[in-house]
Amino acid sequence: MVSATVISLALLPYLRLVAGHYPFPYFIKNGVSSEPWEFVRRSPAWPLEHFNDSNWNLSPLFDPYSTDVRCGEKSLKAAPETKVAQVKAGDEIGFGLFPNKTVYHPGPLTMWLSKADGNISEYDGSGYWFKTYETGVTWDPEASPAYYRLHWDASYITQFLFKVPETTPPGQYLLRIAHDQVTHTFNTTQRFVNCAQIEIEGTGGGSPTPLVRIPNPAMMFDRGQWIISEIYDSQRASAEAVASYHIPYEAVWKG
């Protein structure tokens, strides 16, 4: 089960002007939002003097081979000052944006878990990851004007949530959120990434699959984040083109 919070279409022109580039500073559990950066590792690119400044803009990540694509630029430096959220298997968890920001670039949004091999505050995300959530693209032939017929499901959303599978092995994890701005030009994807530090309680018993390393070469060559122009340009899009799209990387593990 997944859920998201959508904002009014009437506000879209305004939000395009004020949204800027967006981090995901809020960790959300069962409908309750944390303080910004309380459980989410803050990148030094979001300086302390702008700690709660929702008008500060975050630069996207471009290099698919950089370890920064795991949790954000040099975010491991903030790990010791970041709290660990206590989560139970079955809880609904996720991330929120600052109130005046929203996802507005075209592209898929995914969430991932990676179990720490020790203390989460020292874990750099170099272990294996498995996907827990994804959004893609949909086609509505009745939408008007034609621009809105192609709709990226993460667009103009302020919260992204999923239920932790009941059989998730207990332990400390990095919870990663990543929004990829897709393009039709090779290796020009913009990535917006953050990680929360969490500890999952439960009986476990599951074996999450498939497992991947982040980064890996597929992050450059997967066609889910490097798309045909008929999808990139909504005026040229078609039902057939949208049906051909696959969300990048691996399948969601549902327990």
Side-chain angles (χ1 to χ4, degrees):
M1 175 180 177
V2 297
S3 60
T5 299
V6 189
I7 56 178
S8 169
L9 289 175
L11 297 176
L12 298 191
Y14 171 73
L15 284 166
R16 283 184 177 274
L17 295 175
V18 303
H21 283 159
Y22 34 87
F24 302 88
Y26 296 96
F27 174 75
I28 301 169
K29 184 179 75 171
N30 297 331
V32 179
S33 181
S34 71
E35 294 298 317
W37 311 115
E38 183 178 3
F39 299 109
V40 180
R41 291 181 178 178
R42 179 187 58 84
S43 169
W46 195 278
L48 282 174
E49 60 266 31
H50 294 283
F51 192 78
N52 292 317
D53 182 0
S54 60
N55 292 311
W56 184 259
N57 287 328
L58 185 69
S59 298
L61 302 171
F62 287 94
D63 183 359
Y65 292 127
S66 169
T67 56
D68 285 341
V69 300
R70 292 174 186 156
C71 290
E73 184 180 352
K74 298 179 176 61
S75 63
L76 183 60
K77 292 183 178 180
E81 67 191 43
T82 305
K83 296 179 182 178
V84 181
Q86 299 301 309
V87 173
K88 294 182 180 178
D91 283 347
E92 185 178 56
I93 63 173
F95 292 86
L97 289 84
F98 279 115
N100 69 331
K101 291 188 180 291
T102 180
V103 169
Y104 68 91
H105 284 309
L109 184 141
T110 56
M111 284 191 275
W112 306 72
L113 284 170
S114 180
K115 191 174 184 181
D117 52 6
N119 190 316
I120 190 67
S121 66
E122 299 173 354
Y123 181 50
D124 63 358
S126 57
Y128 285 104
W129 296 80
F130 58 95
K131 189 193 288 184
T132 59
Y133 173 94
E134 63 183 16
T135 69
V137 63
T138 54
W139 175 254
D140 180 2
E142 304 300 323
S144 180
Y147 178 86
Y148 291 111
R149 292 177 183 174
L150 183 147
H151 176 70
W152 289 96
D153 298 329
S155 295
Y156 311 113
I157 304 294
T158 59
Q159 296 181 357
F160 299 90
L161 308 167
F162 72 97
K163 281 195 174 181
V164 179
E166 295 284 356
T167 59
T168 303
Q172 292 191 330
Y173 287 84
L174 286 176
L175 172 63
R176 174 181 185 260
I177 187 168
H179 182 242
D180 293 350
Q181 182 206 2
V182 292
T183 70
H184 63 287
T185 306
F186 177 66
N187 197 27
T188 57
T189 300
Q190 297 185 39
R191 298 175 177 86
F192 302 90
V193 183
N194 286 111
C195 287
Q197 300 184 158
I198 68 173
E199 183 165 5
I200 297 177
E201 302 175 12
T203 57
S207 297
T209 55
L211 299 174
V212 300
R213 303 278 191 182
I214 297 177
N216 65 69
M219 297 188 74
M220 178 183 290
F221 295 103
D222 192 301
R223 286 304 300 262
Q225 46 89 46
W226 170 40
I227 60 175
I228 60 176
S229 58
E230 286 79 5
I231 297 178
Y232 183 74
D233 182 355
S234 59
Q235 300 288 352
R236 299 172 57 192
S238 65
E240 292 75 18
V242 172
S244 72
Y245 177 76
H246 78 276
I247 300 171
Y249 319 130
E250 304 294 343
V252 169
W253 181 70
K254 298 180 180 179

